[in-house]
Amino acid sequence: MPTYTSLAVFLLSAISLVIASGFSLGAGMLVLGATVLLRPASPRLRLAAPDYLFIAALGFYFLLHVALNLIHHAPGREYDAPLRFLLAIPALLLLCTFPPRPGALWSGAAVGAIGAGLLSLWQWLAWGMDRPGGSTNPIQYGNISALLAVLSAYGLARALALGHGLRWKLLHATGVLMALVATLLSGSRGSWLALPFCAILAAYLLIRAGQARRLLKPAVLALVALAVLALLPHSPLTARYRQAVSEAGGYLQHADAQSSVGARLEMLRVGLYLAPRHLLLGFGKEGMMQAKQHMVEEGLASDSVAEHTHLHNEYLDALVKHGIPGLLAVLVLYLLPLRLFAGRAVPGRSIEARMAAGAGMMLMLSYLAFGLTQAFLTHNNGVMMFAFLGVILWSLARQQPAGPANTA
């Protein structure tokens, strides 16, 4: 079974962006594989208090959304996204019982990152797409590419710490570069916002582990890369920044809500207007859509907000749709695992455990940042990557014993 779980873990990241819904294969393998735990001869799994807390974060999100969907008489499709968090629980139990090889995660992330970068370059150069997005939305493509960049960076750090051969170091370094290319070309400003937060957290973890000297070269390289990207002719980074400033100015000065940034600012205003009116249980998705349409008809909001099914802000969207309980569920889902991972990313634990725990913290921090400009949990790929990457990283952070680390 460890070979099976390792293959599933590898595939989750390796084909997540290069094949439509590629992440579903690895996740599906983990869920189906969990049926072996029902056999009487299956190894007995002992869970500790942190494991139950991690499971509770997933279960709480699922149960709360089921209850609120019932209250709001939501259609069946609204149960789909919460169900993925429930399905991640048996996957976690399987991974804890039959831990995958750590290298399966890191090499899968590097392969997926390289594939995402190559696909982006192909769509940009050969197809002439302004914002490559693979087979999904450029925003979601950029967010997942940023996650793969972070995982590849951790894979590179692991390869250096364990003294792996040059080919492994080059694989992960190329993964970091190509994932950043995919993120840049996607034009996803939310993913760009997440990367500096991750870099700051990584620096803090290195300093706390007594590895401050390792910061110098990566910091210099990051600054040089940022300068090059900003100075390139027709740089997507510079162009998207200038566009954002221009569109924000247009909204603030002339109430122009037809632009991308203007529509987001208008949705923020509409959300802040609606949220206090149903703080206890929210409007529900259909109720929010009707309330927005009513505001448009009365001239209280621009028609640019009418068609959007979410408010492009995870926290405000949860508050308007599901009230204070919905916002609490999102915060628990992000912050409780963040705290649990932080408890594993400490000196004295094995390298494998610290690497997985640090990457788990990055996953949570990334989603916290993504949520500022995108309701990522309303999208299937956002839910799947969060839930299943989360349980994979937790299984590695909790399982690895001190001593010689597993190799790639």
Side-chain angles (χ1 to χ4, degrees):
M1 282 305 292
T3 300
Y4 178 87
T5 56
S6 296
L7 177 60
V9 166
F10 175 84
L11 290 174
L12 180 78
S13 298
I15 60 174
S16 57
L17 291 177
V18 296
I19 297 177
S21 299
F23 47 81
S24 298
L25 178 57
M29 288 176 63
L30 292 175
V31 175
L32 291 175
T35 57
V36 304
L37 300 178
L38 301 176
R39 297 184 307 179
S42 178
R44 183 177 178 83
L45 174 63
R46 294 183 178 180
L47 298 177
D51 302 315
Y52 287 113
L53 288 174
F54 199 100
I55 291 171
L58 299 172
F60 177 63
Y61 188 92
F62 167 74
L63 292 174
L64 183 66
H65 279 76
V66 167
L68 291 171
N69 282 340
L70 290 172
I71 291 172
H72 292 299
H73 306 288
R77 62 179 179 273
E78 296 304 317
Y79 293 86
D80 182 61
L83 179 63
R84 310 306 170 97
F85 293 99
L86 181 66
L87 293 176
I89 295 175
L92 173 60
L93 299 178
L94 176 69
L95 290 163
C96 291
T97 306
F98 302 101
R101 291 175 64 85
L105 170 65
W106 309 117
S107 59
V111 170
I114 293 171
L118 291 174
L119 180 57
S120 293
L121 287 170
W122 175 258
Q123 291 185 335
W124 187 50
L125 296 173
W127 294 1
M129 295 179 63
D130 291 334
R131 296 181 60 190
S135 59
T136 187
N137 184 283
I139 297 176
Q140 299 154 40
Y141 192 86
N143 288 350
I144 296 175
S145 294
L147 288 178
L148 294 177
V150 170
L151 290 176
S152 296
Y154 263 85
L156 177 59
R158 173 179 177 268
L160 292 170
L162 297 179
H164 286 171
L166 180 60
R167 60 173 180 164
W168 291 109
K169 297 173 185 176
L170 288 176
L171 174 68
H172 297 299
T174 305
V176 174
L177 177 62
M178 296 306 290
L180 291 176
V181 167
T183 303
L184 173 67
L185 293 180
S186 74
S188 173
R189 289 179 289 245
S191 61
W192 301 347
L193 181 63
L195 290 173
F197 286 106
C198 289
I200 293 171
L201 177 58
Y204 167 74
L205 292 175
L206 282 172
I207 292 173
R208 190 173 69 168
Q211 300 293 323
R213 60 185 178 82
R214 292 181 180 267
L215 284 175
L216 184 59
K217 289 183 179 179
V220 171
L221 289 175
L223 291 174
V224 170
L226 183 62
V228 170
L229 292 174
L231 295 174
L232 280 175
H234 310 294
S235 166
L237 181 64
T238 305
R240 290 284 288 170
Y241 170 76
R242 290 174 178 170
Q243 181 185 15
V245 172
S246 175
E247 291 177 355
Y251 179 81
L252 295 175
Q253 296 173 15
H254 311 294
D256 179 12
Q258 299 304 316
S259 65
S260 174
V261 174
R264 281 167 169 75
L265 291 174
E266 181 72 347
M267 282 186 277
L268 178 63
R269 186 185 68 82
V270 168
L272 292 173
Y273 175 84
L274 293 175
R277 282 157 175 76
H278 289 284
L279 275 178
L280 185 59
L281 297 174
F283 285 84
K285 180 179 176 180
E286 296 300 324
M288 183 195 74
M289 297 294 291
Q290 294 172 8
K292 287 197 303 174
Q293 184 60 41
H294 185 66
M295 290 181 67
V296 170
E297 292 172 355
E298 290 195 342
L300 299 176
S302 168
D303 59 3
S304 64
V305 306
E307 63 181 12
H308 293 279
T309 58
H310 60 81
L311 297 174
H312 279 272
N313 181 287
E314 196 77 70
Y315 316 105
L316 187 59
D317 190 68
L319 185 61
V320 172
K321 288 179 180 175
H322 298 125
I324 292 176
L327 177 60
L328 178 63
V330 172
L331 294 177
V332 168
L333 186 68
Y334 291 164
L335 297 180
L336 179 54
L338 177 63
R339 178 65 186 87
L340 294 174
F341 278 121
R344 294 294 186 271
V346 294
R349 297 186 63 85
S350 70
I351 291 176
E352 298 289 12
R354 294 203 310 271
M355 289 295 173
M361 294 176 69
M362 299 296 182
L363 175 65
M364 301 303 151
L365 189 61
S366 295
Y367 269 75
L368 282 166
F370 295 157
L372 297 175
T373 59
Q374 168 80 337
F376 206 14
L377 295 183
T378 64
H379 299 285
N380 181 45
N381 48 15
V383 170
M384 294 290 282
M385 292 301 287
F386 177 87
F388 286 90
L389 269 179
V391 298
I392 289 168
L393 289 166
W394 178 251
S395 71
L396 293 174
R398 73 178 290 278
Q399 289 283 353
Q400 293 303 317
N406 295 327
T407 56

